[in-house]
Amino acid sequence: ARFIQSNYQFPLNDQFSESDFYGGVELEYIRHLNRFMNVSLPVKYARPLLPVEESGTKVLEGTVLETDLTFQFKYFRERGFIYPTIFAGFGASLENWENYNYYVPAGLSLNFRFRKHAYLSAKGEYRYSIEDPLRHHVVLSAGVFVAIGTGIPIDPMTVDTDKDGVPDVEDECPLTAGIYEVRGCPDADSDG
């Protein structure tokens, strides 16, 4: 989950002004595809001021619901402090519950690890409107990213639940420590 700030004025006047940013929220589902790529489905809700002319001086208050399908190219290390991604994809928005717009979003996210599978997350993206140049916009966001599962395939030959040195795939007693000679089970009479 992230808090977002949307800016529809910057593409029109090339000036970043704090007063042009309007808040919202984002929830994002991310699925690991392989070591270098994820697919994600973010959903955003915001209430920005939307330009109605090219100068950007005339605006109307709007409600915007956006969703995307993006591919994230990542550099992930299991114990790394920073988990960066670059992403691009295709998206759509519903404006004021009646008008649709289609987008090509692209950007960068930086995730800073603070627990085993939890990250502080910052993301910046440019959303290029396919149909209406007045709807190009920038979105900055920050929040928390939590990985459920490791996202990295585990080699079954390295899993040893009872820590007896016999991998679970070969261990007939995977929950009780034993010895290799009796297929990972305890040797109660010590005869091997």
Side-chain angles (χ1 to χ4, degrees):
R2 297 182 185 96
F3 293 102
I4 66 171
Q5 293 286 308
S6 299
N7 182 333
Y8 286 78
Q9 301 299 319
F10 174 73
L12 299 174
N13 61 24
D14 293 329
Q15 296 176 357
F16 265 120
S17 171
E18 187 177 323
S19 63
D20 292 333
F21 283 91
Y22 292 88
V25 294
E26 174 185 44
L27 294 175
E28 183 175 22
Y29 172 77
I30 301 171
R31 180 73 182 156
H32 166 80
L33 294 179
N34 60 44
R35 185 174 170 203
F36 301 105
M37 187 180 296
N38 293 334
V39 64
S40 75
L41 182 66
V43 177
K44 300 176 188 72
Y45 174 80
R47 294 185 52 84
L49 290 181
L50 301 167
V52 293
E53 60 184 22
E54 286 187 27
S55 69
T57 55
K58 187 174 180 185
V59 295
L60 63 95
E61 188 173 330
T63 299
V64 178
L65 181 66
E66 298 178 312
T67 187
D68 303 328
L69 177 65
T70 63
F71 292 92
Q72 299 178 341
F73 302 94
K74 62 185 177 177
Y75 177 69
F76 180 77
R77 292 176 298 143
E78 181 66 30
R79 290 178 173 77
F81 172 67
I82 298 176
Y83 172 22
T85 68
I86 57 172
F87 61 90
F90 180 77
S93 73
L94 177 60
E95 184 181 302
N96 293 324
W97 309 112
E98 59 187 48
N99 300 320
Y100 290 95
N101 286 302
Y102 298 98
Y103 291 93
V104 176
L108 167 73
S109 70
L110 293 173
N111 303 294
F112 302 93
R113 181 187 191 142
F114 68 92
R115 297 195 55 103
K116 185 172 183 178
H117 295 295
Y119 299 82
L120 294 176
S121 179
K123 184 165 112 171
E125 67 182 280
Y126 188 86
R127 300 181 62 77
Y128 179 86
S129 174
I130 294 172
E131 301 170 337
D132 185 356
L134 295 178
R135 294 299 175 257
H136 300 331
H137 62 286
V138 173
V139 178
L140 304 176
S141 59
V144 176
F145 164 58
V146 178
I148 300 173
T150 62
I152 304 296
I154 297 173
D155 179 1
M157 292 304 291
T158 64
V159 177
D160 182 13
T161 303
D162 59 14
K163 309 284 188 245
D164 63 1
V166 181
D168 285 359
V169 295
E170 297 175 10
D171 198 332
E172 290 186 10
C173 303
L175 300 177
T176 307
I179 61 172
Y180 187 79
E181 289 77 14
V182 287
R183 295 185 208 104
C185 292
D187 185 10
D189 60 4
S190 300
D191 66 357

